[in-house]
């Protein structure tokens, strides 16, 4: 369930997002849910616009630039990741719909699902039946178990990806579709700040896009399947 399996990693991910200022949300420990965070909304909007511009520059470089056929195919392998991150993380107006999804799961678990489990426990004790009849969310289907492993793993993998990108640009600065590959004599150009800028772009794009994808879509699907498993019992 969402509260049991994802809240610890969700708090860590939101703390990182707050540090990067890439999404307008934060976790409120007093309320026990996710709230809107408007203190740095202008930075969030700037990052959204930069993400579009950065992805558009990569797109133009791959399809309209002077890359070789091999370079175009190489750039096309990276481009979908940035395009997907740009689309998923876009929240220029700071809409609250994403956190309403998370808070709905948390509210459902606190009120409806908890009440049902209490009733089931009472029924089992009254009938003196085996306690093992009570459904255990951890014994759900294989998809749910894989999601509980995959989501924290993927969130950590994004950070590793940023480090690997910086290393790649340091030793192979002309790699398409990144910005330095647009320059004709990129092999003779050493711009460390540009590598840091591109790594920062990837960091906030993947972190924001990953949060929406992992904790709204994947965690949401897994939680719904867990609810069905419990309610069917």
């Amino acid at each position: 369930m969402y509260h049991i399996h994802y809240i610890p990693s969700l708090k860590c991910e939101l703390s990182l997002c707050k540090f990067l200022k890439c999404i307008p949300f934060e976790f409120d420990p007093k309320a026990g849910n996710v709230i809107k965070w408007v203190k740095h909304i202008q930075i969030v909007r700037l990052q959204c616009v930069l993400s579009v511009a950065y992805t558009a520059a990569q797109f133009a470089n791959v399809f309209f630039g002077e890359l070789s056929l091999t370079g175009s195919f190489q750039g096309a392998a990276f481009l979908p990741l940035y395009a997907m991150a740009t689309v998923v993380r876009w929240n220029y107006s700071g809409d609250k719909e994403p956190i309403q999804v998370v808070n709905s799961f948390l509210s459902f678990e606190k009120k409806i699902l908890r009440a049902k489990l209490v009733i089931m426990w009472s029924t089992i004790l009254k009938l003196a039946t085996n306690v093992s009849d009570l459904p255990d969310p951890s014994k759900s289907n294989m998809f749910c178990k894989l999601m509980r492993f995959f989501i924290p793993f993927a969130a950590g993998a994004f950070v590793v990806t940023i480090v690997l990108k910086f290393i790649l640009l340091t030793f192979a600065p002309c790699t398409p579709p990144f910005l330095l590959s647009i320059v004709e004599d990129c092999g003779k150009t050493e711009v460390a700040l540009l590598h840091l800028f591109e790594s920062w772009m990837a960091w906030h794009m993947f972190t924001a896009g990953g949060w929406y994808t992992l904790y709204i879509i994947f965690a949401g699907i897994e939680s719904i399947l867990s609810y069905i498993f419990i309610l069917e019992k």
Side-chain angles (χ1 to χ4, degrees):
M1 295 189 296
Y2 207 104
H3 187 81
I4 297 175
H5 299 110
Y6 300 119
I7 283 298
S9 59
L10 176 69
K11 292 179 181 179
C12 295
E13 192 71 11
L14 284 175
S15 298
L16 178 59
C17 291
K18 187 175 182 179
F19 171 75
L20 294 172
K21 301 177 178 60
C22 58
I23 61 174
F25 311 122
E26 65 176 341
F27 188 83
D28 185 0
K30 295 182 179 179
N33 55 17
V34 184
I35 61 174
K36 189 173 181 179
W37 182 55
V38 297
K39 186 176 181 180
H40 297 287
I41 187 65
Q42 298 301 330
I43 299 179
V44 175
R45 291 174 176 173
L46 175 63
Q47 291 181 359
C48 288
V49 174
L50 286 176
S51 299
V52 174
Y54 184 68
T55 305
Q58 290 185 339
F59 180 86
N61 186 27
V62 170
F63 292 100
F64 304 106
E66 298 181 357
L67 297 175
S68 63
L69 183 61
T70 303
S72 297
F73 277 109
Q74 186 176 356
F78 289 97
L79 186 59
L81 299 176
Y82 290 89
M84 185 179 299
T86 300
V87 172
V88 173
R89 68 86 44 93
W90 181 265
N91 191 5
Y92 187 85
S93 58
D95 293 333
K96 297 189 295 183
E97 283 80 0
I99 62 173
Q100 288 176 343
V101 174
V102 176
N103 292 336
S104 296
F105 288 133
L106 298 178
S107 178
F108 177 79
E109 292 178 8
K110 289 179 181 179
K111 298 178 181 178
I112 301 176
L113 203 59
R114 182 178 298 177
K116 181 175 177 60
L117 290 176
V118 170
I119 294 173
M120 294 179 69
W121 267 111
S122 301
T123 304
I124 288 174
L125 293 176
K126 288 180 180 179
L127 297 176
T129 56
N130 193 346
V131 178
S132 62
D133 293 337
L134 188 68
D136 184 359
S138 64
K139 296 181 180 179
S140 51
N141 59 41
M142 183 60 65
F143 174 80
C144 296
K145 295 179 181 179
L146 289 175
M147 282 297 102
R148 293 164 195 166
F149 168 78
F150 169 75
I151 290 176
F153 174 80
F158 289 138
V159 179
V160 177
T161 302
I162 309 309
V163 177
L164 293 177
K165 178 182 178 179
F166 181 78
I167 295 174
L168 173 65
L169 292 177
T170 301
F171 292 97
C174 299
T175 303
F178 305 117
L179 297 181
L180 206 56
S181 63
I182 301 175
V183 182
E184 186 174 352
D185 56 345
C186 62
K188 301 178 181 179
T189 306
E190 291 293 337
V191 186
L193 290 179
L194 183 59
H195 300 339
L196 290 174
F197 171 76
E198 293 207 63
S199 299
W200 172 74
M201 287 294 299
W203 195 7
H204 72 74
M205 289 173 67
F206 290 166
T207 301
W211 185 83
Y212 287 112
T213 303
L214 296 176
Y215 292 96
I216 303 297
I217 300 176
F218 289 154
I221 294 173
E222 190 276 332
S223 297
I224 292 174
L225 293 177
S226 296
Y227 301 157
I228 294 174
F229 172 79
I230 294 175
L231 295 175
E232 284 180 345
K233 295 293 183 177

